[in-house]
Amino acid sequence: MARLLLGVTGGIAAFKAVQLVRLATAAGHAARVIQTPTSQRFVAPETFRAITGAPVLTDEFEPDPLRGAFPGDPLPTHAAISHLALVENADAFLIAPATANAIAALATGRADSLIGSAYLAAECPVLLAPAMNHRMWHHAATRRNVAQVVADGVTLIAPGSGRLASKGESGDGRLAEPDELLAAVESALSGARASGGDLAGLHVLVSAGGTREPIDAVRFVGNRSSGRMGYAVAARAAARGAEVTVVAANVALPDPPGCTVVRVSTGEELRRACGAAFDAADVLVMAAAVSDFRPVAPAGGKIKKEGRAGMTIELEATADVLAELSAARRPGQTLVGFAAEHGDGALEHARGKLTRKGLDAVVLNDVSQPGIAFDATENAVTIVTAGEDRQVARAPKDQVADAILDRVLELR
Ligand code: CTP
């Protein structure tokens, strides 16, 4: 997941920015929108607000109710200066559509608008998607301004050719299509990852979700894990520059951006997939809930209830994947396990797992607390290591993921 700041300036192509925001949020990104007053004659801020779930800003002096935070992030305690906080928190800043006027302002570094100020304060990748009439696009002044912003480090998403807004006219100047805009943003993000990020150069293997052990052709022994915590670790690791492989057991969430996802269902499949990827990994984060038992003899068809007053399913123990991988670890690998504990003695049980399974850290979830852990968007954990334990107070899973990755970096 990335934080995308979208600047919308006043052109008829602003309607495509709406589609872009829909695609970006569906792909798991958090988006905030800033608009010029003119652009609001084409698309009302309510439209962007409804899709992003966040207020839209127009003026640099307008207070931001979210104080620069993106959807899913916690509200900062102090009110920041909106244009600086928003762009500081963004992973990418896309201006689409960018009018000839907006490009001229950017080329000369004018800070007399929210978008202009955010542009000057941006340290993340900035992308520009122009849209205008083809004669305006080919004018020497526009050519000069576009060349200037590109020389200043902006990624240009060139306009396409085709029918233009003005009746009967066609040529260059059509805003790139929404899927092209999103692809350009994602490629700028992976470029930024390759060149930086505190996890750059590391390969992180994450298991996520919950395994299903067949009872018959339609029923299984499973658990409540949704994969949210593992996916958050994977997405944050990728956003911080790591190469990420996710082994996903029955996860019904959109793929975390920038990760390779290997889908499995049973514990045995998960064991094989993790085994195949483990040697290349520098860090293993085992967030999947792997069933400890499975039916000894799953039925091939569907078991019928007819003639049965009850039923007993015999279970056998499954392999402990994490313990097996730990036994095969090579020097330089960092291994993190999870422990779902209920109530009393949780810390002692987690500490026991740390030593028994030969791990560097165990992320302890107290699953007796309501509203966190299983299938929730928030979590509160204790990261147990041989050294000092680290408490992570209740927060969105993305932030808990960052805290886990911070601890991994400290341990390496
Ligand atoms: N794990 C595994 N293979 C299993 C079971 C668990 O790799 N067959 C991993 C999980 O992914 C997790 C950790 O081991 O990282 C959890 O350890 P486990 O001892 O199974 O914990 P719980 O199921 O929480 O514990 P228990 O039922 O023993 O209390």
Side-chain angles (χ1 to χ4, degrees):
M1 188 211 86
R3 297 174 179 86
L4 170 65
L5 178 62
L6 174 66
V8 181
T9 72
I12 194 140
F15 74 90
K16 287 190 188 169
V18 175
Q19 190 62 23
L20 163 73
V21 172
R22 286 191 57 197
L23 290 179
T25 49
H29 302 297
R32 292 281 317 255
V33 176
I34 54 180
Q35 284 191 265
T36 60
T38 323
S39 77
Q40 297 183 345
R41 292 164 65 176
F42 298 95
V43 177
E46 281 70 22
T47 305
F48 289 118
R49 188 178 305 140
I51 300 172
T52 60
V56 172
L57 303 185
T58 314
D59 191 284
E60 30 183 341
F61 300 107
E62 185 184 353
D64 177 8
L66 288 190
R67 299 173 176 167
F70 277 68
D73 289 341
L75 216 58
T77 44
H78 71 287
I81 303 171
S82 62
H83 57 280
L84 298 185
L86 253 185
V87 79
E88 201 180 308
N89 290 334
D91 298 310
F93 179 26
L94 166 67
I95 303 169
T99 59
N101 190 38
I103 300 168
L106 301 179
T108 51
R110 278 215 315 268
D112 57 357
S113 69
L114 178 55
I115 290 180
S117 308
Y119 170 68
L120 293 182
E123 284 179 333
C124 60
V126 179
L127 299 96
L128 188 77
M132 67 196 74
N133 173 277
H134 67 117
R135 281 171 287 138
M136 292 169 74
W137 174 244
H138 286 293
H139 192 281
T142 308
R143 311 304 321 140
R144 206 165 49 235
N145 290 333
V146 169
Q148 184 60 57
V149 292
V150 169
D152 291 342
V154 165
T155 300
L156 180 73
I157 308 172
S161 198
R163 264 182 56 195
L164 300 173
S166 42
K167 198 168 177 221
E169 283 207 84
S170 67
D172 299 336
R174 274 167 65 99
L175 181 67
E177 294 307 315
D179 56 339
E180 294 166 349
L181 296 174
L182 182 60
V185 167
E186 288 185 337
S187 128
L189 287 166
S190 49
R193 271 174 217 139
S195 63
D198 58 355
L199 297 178
L202 289 183
H203 191 147
V204 178
L205 172 62
V206 182
S207 72
T211 61
R212 292 179 178 178
E213 310 301 334
I215 296 170
D216 65 12
V218 294
R219 304 175 180 97
F220 55 83
V221 175
N223 59 70
R224 288 175 51 205
S225 176
S226 64
R228 273 181 224 286
M229 191 62 240
Y231 268 33
V233 171
R236 290 308 303 150
R240 291 169 62 168
E243 190 185 328
V244 181
T245 303
V246 188
V247 175
N250 309 297
V251 181
L253 302 168
D255 285 357
C259 301
T260 304
V261 181
V262 182
R263 272 169 238 289
V264 297
S265 183
T266 64
E268 189 51 33
E269 288 166 10
L270 180 134
R271 178 189 186 202
R272 271 188 252 121
C274 288
F278 182 60
D279 197 47
D282 302 295
V283 177
L284 168 70
V285 180
M286 199 74 183
V290 187
S291 178
D292 292 323
F293 297 95
R294 67 173 170 223
V296 173
K302 183 175 172 231
I303 300 170
K304 304 300 280 178
K305 65 174 176 296
E306 230 170 74
R308 293 173 188 268
M311 181 175 169
T312 304
I313 302 168
E314 195 188 340
L315 303 177
E316 65 184 359
T318 57
D320 187 322
V321 181
L322 185 53
E324 274 187 9
L325 294 175
S326 172
R329 72 192 285 177
R330 55 175 175 77
Q333 288 181 310
T334 307
L335 272 58
V336 181
F338 272 67
E341 304 290 350
H342 200 277
D344 286 350
L347 207 56
E348 287 63 41
H349 285 132
R351 220 178 285 291
K353 275 169 202 170
L354 184 78
T355 41
R356 205 168 53 246
K357 299 198 190 198
L359 307 176
D360 300 288
V362 168
V363 179
L364 165 64
N365 274 295
D366 183 350
V367 289
S368 64
Q369 290 183 47
I372 62 161
F374 285 128
D375 210 10
T377 54
E378 294 195 326
N379 208 352
V381 302
T382 306
I383 306 172
V384 179
T385 59
E388 207 178 292
D389 296 341
R390 189 77 48 88
Q391 304 275 352
V392 185
R394 183 171 173 156
K397 284 185 172 173
D398 257 12
Q399 278 175 48
V400 176
D402 270 328
I404 295 167
L405 294 167
D406 289 346
R407 195 73 184 109
V408 163
L409 274 181
E410 288 166 8
L411 291 168
R412 287 183 65 79

